Amino acid sequence: QLQLQESGPGLVKPSETLSLTCTVSDGSITSNSYYWGWIRQPPGKGLEWIGSIYYDGSTFYNPSLESRVTISADTSKNHFSLNLSSVTAADTAVYYCARNMRFLEWLSYFDYWGQGTLITVSS
Amino acid sequence: EIVLTQSPGTLSLSPGERATLSCRASQSISSSYLAWYQQKPGQAPRLLIHAASSRATGIPDRFSGRGSGTDFTLTISRLEPEDFAVYYCQQCGSSLTFGGGTKVEIK
């Protein structure tokens, strides 16, 4: 069964760059049926899509975060990564990676999720 | 950006009762692009329904979805103890957004 696992530092200082990696097991990120996405959830709040990537490097980003977000993929390591720059306390959240179905060459639903990792932005 | 408004914010029901959750979009979306998720405390969301009415693999048939245009509904026909959770709708007709969630709590 496909598994996704987020990894990265749990604490990031304000104004620095948050970096996370999602390692995919028992499945390949080079499948042409899927994108691979990042979603976050501030404590006690709802879900916010950050962005998604296709294995060829094409990306889609949430317009509200696009100026600070970079998502990349390393097919040799079967993982994809998130960089979020100039973080503030408002970026404190649980960050999830997930498999994003591809439908008519566009984004669709998320069917497999990682367990999530809490990232706290604090000095 | 398409805004999804979920109502009610909280639904207080007893096991065995029927739950009806609403998701309203700020503009029309294809039903192909509407999904529902369940989230329990400390867990990642779980896909329940995609394409507005198609149950995901392993989802019990007490969960059903319907709707079109701007109005979508998730129904749980008879609540089981494990169904008390928060439910989110999601659209990807234009960018990708989630609704604010409906909490189904035990009355």
Side-chain angles (χ1 to χ4, degrees):
Chain A
Q1 170 141 335
L2 186 78
Q3 294 185 47
L4 299 94
Q5 179 67 58
E6 306 88 353
S7 59
L11 182 65
V12 182
K13 290 183 169 54
S15 79
E16 294 189 343
T17 296
L18 178 164
S19 296
L20 292 172
T21 295
C22 181
T23 300
V24 178
S25 305
D26 295 324
S28 173
I29 69 168
T30 60
S31 169
N32 61 9
S33 297
Y34 310 110
Y35 295 101
W36 303 89
W38 290 97
I39 303 100
R40 69 181 183 177
Q41 184 171 37
K45 297 188 178 181
L47 301 165
E48 180 180 36
W49 173 67
I50 300 170
S52 298
I53 189 167
Y54 192 52
Y55 76 92
D56 68 356
S58 55
T59 51
F60 300 95
Y61 296 134
N62 185 327
S64 69
L65 296 169
E66 187 166 10
S67 63
R68 298 195 291 131
V69 172
T70 302
I71 297 176
S72 59
D74 186 333
T75 57
S76 67
K77 295 181 180 178
N78 211 40
H79 73 208
F80 59 105
S81 300
L82 167 69
N83 278 356
L84 180 66
S85 64
S86 304
V87 297
T88 70
D91 295 308
T92 294
V94 174
Y95 284 75
Y96 296 99
C97 59
R99 190 174 79 173
N100 199 178
M101 288 298 291
R102 186 169 181 253
F103 178 66
L104 299 177
E105 299 187 8
W106 180 238
L107 307 168
S108 186
Y109 53 89
F110 298 97
D111 61 345
Y112 283 90
W113 295 66
Q115 64 185 23
T117 186
L118 175 63
I119 302 299
T120 301
V121 178
S122 175
S123 55
Chain B
E1 172 182 294
I2 295 178
V3 176
L4 297 178
T5 302
Q6 292 189 240
S7 61
T10 302
L11 200 50
S12 298
L13 295 168
S14 301
E17 289 193 294
R18 181 184 189 90
T20 303
L21 288 66
S22 172
C23 176
R24 179 161 292 176
S26 58
Q27 56 186 280
S28 182
I29 56 175
S30 166
S31 58
S32 298
Y33 294 126
L34 196 287
W36 289 93
Y37 301 85
Q38 176 194 69
Q39 187 179 34
K40 297 179 181 179
Q43 296 185 17
R46 176 175 72 144
L47 176 69
L48 297 176
I49 301 284
H50 62 91
S53 60
S54 297
R55 272 189 301 277
T57 303
I59 301 303
D61 60 8
R62 65 180 181 272
F63 291 92
S64 63
R66 60 179 298 171
S68 63
T70 60
D71 291 306
F72 298 88
T73 301
L74 174 70
T75 300
I76 310 170
S77 59
R78 288 181 311 279
L79 283 165
E80 297 288 340
E82 62 269 26
D83 299 336
F84 291 92
V86 180
Y87 293 83
Y88 294 95
C89 57
Q90 174 236 311
Q91 70 78 29
C92 45
S94 173
S95 188
L96 195 158
T97 55
F98 291 90
T102 289
K103 181 179 182 180
V104 179
E105 66 175 22
I106 299 176
K107 187 174 181 180

